[in-house]
Amino acid sequence: MPNNFDYTAAVRGVCEDICLRLPDFFHVRMADVAISFRQTRHNENYGVFASLTPLRFKDGAVTEKRRGCFWTIPPVRDNTGHAFLYVLTVYMPRFANLTLTEKIETLVHELYHINENFNGDLRRFAGRCYAHGSSKTRYDATVRKLAAEWLQREPSPQLWAFLKYDFGELSSRYDGITGLCVPIPALIRVDPS
């Protein structure tokens, strides 16, 4: 019987613990956040490490008007039919090759994008750069503080031990690295009536 490691299930465990321990994430219901992974073409140490895809528009709207047309996002469902509000994707092996601290900060960064009303929209800051606010440096400082706070609350090392290993080290410990790959839906044009 193969000894596979379910990376997305392990990431889910860390995210659930972050949301249980830190007040800034008490509004997040991880049951409504799909955890996914994508394979990157290259193993370079730059590019996207993770992303959070909202599955609703501004203020949780299910449709949005753009250039005179109405659009919707098709639902993303699990195998029981449960619809998610967000998809958090880690990009492998790039994410796995970050340092332990960088991995935790990356997960906190993506979770912090979740709207305070947990309505499928992103957390929106004032100004043109609504996703990170007027200062990406300030956003990153908030993320670093929250990641450090989570570790100070002493989560079980068994929960996050896998984050200590890079992709090669994990691959040598297991027969395979597995996980869910959730397709990101394309917008669909709809009739406003």
Side-chain angles (χ1 to χ4, degrees), residues 24-44:
D24 288 75
F25 301 102
F26 283 174
H27 64 287
V28 176
R29 297 184 311 271
M30 283 304 300
D32 294 326
V33 180
I35 305 293
S36 178
F37 81 92
R38 291 268 184 274
Q39 186 172 351
T40 58
R41 292 183 189 171
H42 304 288
N43 195 16
E44 285 85 13

Side-chain angles (χ1 to χ4, degrees), residues 56-64 86 115-124:
R56 300 285 185 275
F57 297 106
K58 186 174 182 180
D59 299 324
V62 295
T63 60
E64 181 175 271
Y86 300 91
N115 190 287
E116 302 95 321
N117 295 320
F118 200 75
N119 56 12
D121 187 18
L122 294 176
R123 179 187 300 262
R124 291 178 181 264

Side-chain angles (χ1 to χ4, degrees), residues 140-167:
D140 290 341
T142 300
V143 163
R144 278 192 300 278
K145 179 179 115 356
L146 290 168
E149 185 180 338
W150 179 66
L151 284 172
Q152 289 166 3
R153 291 176 184 238
E154 300 180 352
S156 169
Q158 291 176 326
L159 183 69
W160 55 266
F162 77 100
L163 293 174
K164 295 188 295 187
Y165 304 110
D166 67 22
F167 191 79

Side-chain angles (χ1 to χ4, degrees), residues 74-92:
V76 173
R77 299 182 187 279
D78 66 13
N79 57 4
T80 69
H82 174 78
F84 295 105
L85 290 174
Y86 300 91
V87 179
L88 193 160
T89 305
V90 293
Y91 294 85
M92 301 290 279

Side-chain angles (χ1 to χ4, degrees), residues 98-139:
L98 294 171
T99 67
L100 169 65
T101 301
E102 289 170 335
K103 287 176 203 163
I104 295 169
E105 288 177 359
T106 298
L107 293 176
V108 169
H109 176 112
E110 299 309 329
L111 290 171
Y112 198 64
H113 278 305
I114 294 176
N115 190 287
E116 302 95 321
N117 295 320
F118 200 75
N119 56 12
D121 187 18
L122 294 176
R123 179 187 300 262
R124 291 178 181 264
F125 295 92
R128 188 174 55 89
C129 299
Y130 67 88
H132 294 107
S134 59
S135 170
K136 175 86 166 43
T137 302
R138 192 175 318 134
Y139 187 96

